[in-house]
Amino acid sequence: MPNRQIVLPASALVLLAVCTVLIAIFLLVPSFASRAIFAALVLIGVAFLIRYALLARIDYNEHQIESRADRNESAPESFELSKLLEATMSGMREGLLVVNRDMRVVASNNAAYRLFNPTPRRLESQRLTELTRNPAIYSAFLDALKGIERSGVKVETHGPERLVFDLRVVPLASTNGSGAEGALGVFFDITRIERLESVRQEFLSNVSHELRTPLTAILAFVETLETGAMEDQESNQRFLSIIRKNASRMHGLIDDILELTAIEGGNVQLRSAPIELHALVNEVVSSLATKAFANGIIITNSVAPEAVVHADARRLEQMLTNLIENGIKFNREKGQVTIRSESGARDKILVEDTGEGIPAQHLERLFERFYRVDRARSREMGGTGLGLAIVKHLALLHGGEVTVTSDLGKGSTFVIHLPHSG
Ligand code: ADP
């Protein structure tokens, strides 16, 4: 432990002596008023003493810190400064690169190493031009060496994975004040932010587009009615039903958007419990019976009567409704939809159809929002293009997933995988 001795200035010692004398007088003085005055004086004296003591202690601590810094020592109870700096640099997600006046790297961290991904040589002592040919990086460091701070420089890498960085470079001033001795660059990884931003923009433009189409139709038919078609009994019924169809399409779209936003935003709470799958599938099939009948499709519930899965009943029903409805919509005339289940490390619910199938190049993107194989056909059938995205997110929420396989001309199989109920 360091010596924490407090050195009091001479004036404080004089004050201490005066206080002692005052206390002695206080004890000798008989009247109450005089005692009160003496007591007040003593209190003031003590307050001064405490203040001196505190100031002396602060001075002492500062002195200790300064002398440690002079000797390049660290406090015994704290980390060693160089180790702390090293740990901070290597733990940082941001790439850090320091170059000297000759544009040679003098310090870097792991993140910078990963960013430049050079041959397994160290970055240190390499020239910046050896690390990267990116002119934006080079000119930002060059400017910093001229004393100009640069920020918001967008840097993209085109390796196996496309990464986007926001680069900020600051000059490192020399101690003698003769301009910049070097430059320090920090590469902030904004790949995720960029991706989210582009997803958001794409989503907004899709939503606007999806809403505009039915809205345009509604406006056009209202205008037609207003300009005379109202009198024509036969056409006004037809126009009104077109208006209704488009309005309910907008309604369905908004419902699906809200639903998807709630699921993705984590605002849907699952109430998972063991479910008798055969009975649940029967309910879904009954609710879609009219649609199936209209399309001449036969739905078969081939789930074993004893099959049990662990899921949120309402949400599983929603997933199955979406998949079976698609099986009906995208089937051939007099086709079939069959629902089966398999128990294993993960429970599987399979929805098979005998439709036209899905070309392989579409399979990877099929669960993306608004992705359709045939946009016009989907719209014509009142689809929103969000059904499979909802299924995907609900499956993920259950700790499972949804997959698809398809045979062109023969049909498709969608599989909901759920954690095994045990
Ligand atoms: P929607 O059915 O509203 O168009 P979905 O998200 O449910 O939207 O489906 C996206 C697209 O995937 C559909 O437009 C269709 O092109 C394709 N699709 C989905 N299910 C099937 C299926 N069973 N057979 C063939 N294509 C399908």
Side-chain angles (χ1 to χ4, degrees):
M1 282 292 288
N3 179 11
R4 290 188 187 238
Q5 184 189 352
I6 296 167
V7 183
L8 292 180
S11 53
L13 290 176
V14 172
L15 206 59
L16 187 65
V18 171
C19 282
T20 317
V21 174
L22 286 175
I23 291 168
I25 298 171
F26 170 75
L27 294 173
L28 295 173
V29 173
S31 90
F32 179 76
S34 317
R35 278 191 171 195
I37 292 167
F38 277 126
L41 282 171
V42 169
L43 275 178
I44 293 168
V46 171
F48 265 107
L49 270 177
I50 291 171
R51 185 167 172 267
Y52 272 126
L54 286 177
L55 286 178
R57 188 175 180 120
I58 289 166
D59 274 356
Y60 167 80
N61 284 343
E62 279 175 357
H63 173 72
Q64 287 289 313
I65 289 165
E66 273 169 19
S67 56
R68 252 187 228 125
D70 287 347
R71 297 196 306 273
N72 203 10
E73 254 180 33
S74 62
E77 64 272 28
S78 60
F79 300 99
E80 217 178 282
L81 259 181
S82 60
K83 287 227 170 87
L84 189 67
L85 188 65
E86 205 181 300
T88 312
M89 277 178 66
S90 66
M92 276 171 73
R93 291 183 52 196
E94 290 77 22
L96 211 107
L97 209 64
V98 182
V99 298
N100 63 12
R101 246 197 251 261
D102 303 329
M103 282 285 208
R104 278 189 191 278
V105 178
V106 288
S108 65
N109 67 351
N110 291 341
Y113 186 85
R114 281 195 297 275
L115 165 61
F116 290 107
N117 198 23
T119 43
R121 282 199 293 155
R122 279 165 55 81
L123 299 190
E124 274 67 7
S125 85
Q126 290 196 55
R127 282 182 172 281
L128 193 60
T129 43
E130 292 175 78
L131 293 183
T132 173
R133 298 243 163 255
N134 191 319
I137 300 179
Y138 191 80
S139 79
F141 274 90
L142 205 62
D143 279 353
L145 287 178
K146 289 179 199 154
I148 307 161
E149 188 176 320
R150 294 279 303 273
S151 59
V153 180
K154 193 168 161 185
V155 176
E156 289 183 38
T157 64
H158 299 282
E161 192 189 356
R162 179 185 168 265
L163 299 171
V164 189
F165 292 88
D166 181 288
L167 170 62
R168 181 191 161 103
V169 193
V170 291
L172 294 175
S174 65
T175 38
N176 58 14
S178 63
E181 195 63 47
L184 175 133
V186 185
F187 296 81
F188 297 93
D189 188 347
I190 54 165
T191 316
R192 210 175 105 81
I193 301 171
E194 282 261 319
R195 203 178 298 140
L196 286 176
E197 179 58 21
S198 84
V199 167
R200 194 184 66 88
Q201 273 173 10
E202 195 183 326
F203 181 65
L204 267 180
S205 99
N206 273 325
V207 169
S208 319
H209 189 74
E210 294 293 332
L211 285 173
R212 194 199 286 141
T213 316
L215 199 59
T216 309
I218 291 171
L219 287 173
F221 283 103
V222 168
E223 208 175 296
T224 317
L225 285 171
E226 280 175 343
T227 51
M230 202 92 108
E231 317 307 325
D232 179 352
Q233 271 298 318
E234 201 184 306
S235 20
N236 73 24
Q237 276 309 314
R238 198 164 55 84
F239 292 168
L240 280 175
S241 83
I242 294 173
I243 290 171
R244 169 192 277 280
K245 189 177 154 201
N246 281 286
S248 57
R249 208 176 117 193
M250 286 171 70
H251 194 271
L253 181 65
I254 289 165
D255 275 355
D256 277 359
I257 291 171
L258 290 176
E259 182 73 13
L260 195 58
T261 313
I263 302 167
E264 282 187 313
N267 295 326
V268 167
Q269 291 292 323
L270 291 187
R271 274 191 283 266
S272 291
I275 298 168
E276 289 183 4
L277 191 60
H278 188 88
L280 186 97
V281 170
N282 269 348
E283 277 176 39
V284 178
V285 172
S286 311
S287 71
L288 294 170
T290 321
K291 221 170 229 171
F293 183 75
N295 290 270
I297 307 292
I298 296 164
I299 310 180
T300 312
N301 179 358
S302 294
V303 173
E306 68 279 1
V308 171
V309 290
H310 196 79
D312 179 312
R314 193 172 90 77
R315 296 301 176 176
L316 182 57
E317 188 182 321
Q318 193 179 357
M319 287 192 262
L320 286 170
T321 306
N322 268 323
L323 295 182
I324 298 172
E325 196 173 2
N326 278 348
I328 298 170
K329 283 195 302 189
F330 300 105
N331 220 314
R332 60 181 161 79
E333 220 177 294
K334 297 203 172 88
Q336 293 192 13
V337 178
T338 309
I339 303 101
R340 295 190 293 112
S341 76
E342 285 173 14
S343 180
R346 291 210 287 182
D347 292 327
K348 292 183 193 169
I349 309 170
L350 299 89
V351 179
E352 299 168 346
D353 66 61
T354 54
E356 71 258 49
I358 304 160
Q361 73 269 25
H362 294 287
L363 292 179
E364 203 186 322
R365 299 195 59 194
L366 207 64
F367 296 95
E368 285 177 20
R369 301 184 277 197
F370 296 115
Y371 193 84
R372 285 123 152 182
V373 176
D374 182 342
R375 194 168 279 262
R377 186 166 171 210
S378 155
R379 286 217 188 101
E380 182 50 38
M381 288 189 283
T384 62
L386 292 174
L388 288 182
I390 291 176
V391 175
K392 171 185 146 182
H393 284 282
L394 284 176
L396 290 176
L397 207 61
H398 278 84
E401 62 172 334
V402 58
T403 55
V404 59
T405 50
S406 193
D407 233 348
L408 262 188
K410 289 189 179 161
S412 313
T413 303
F414 286 80
V415 186
I416 300 173
H417 306 252
L418 293 173
H420 185 54
S421 50

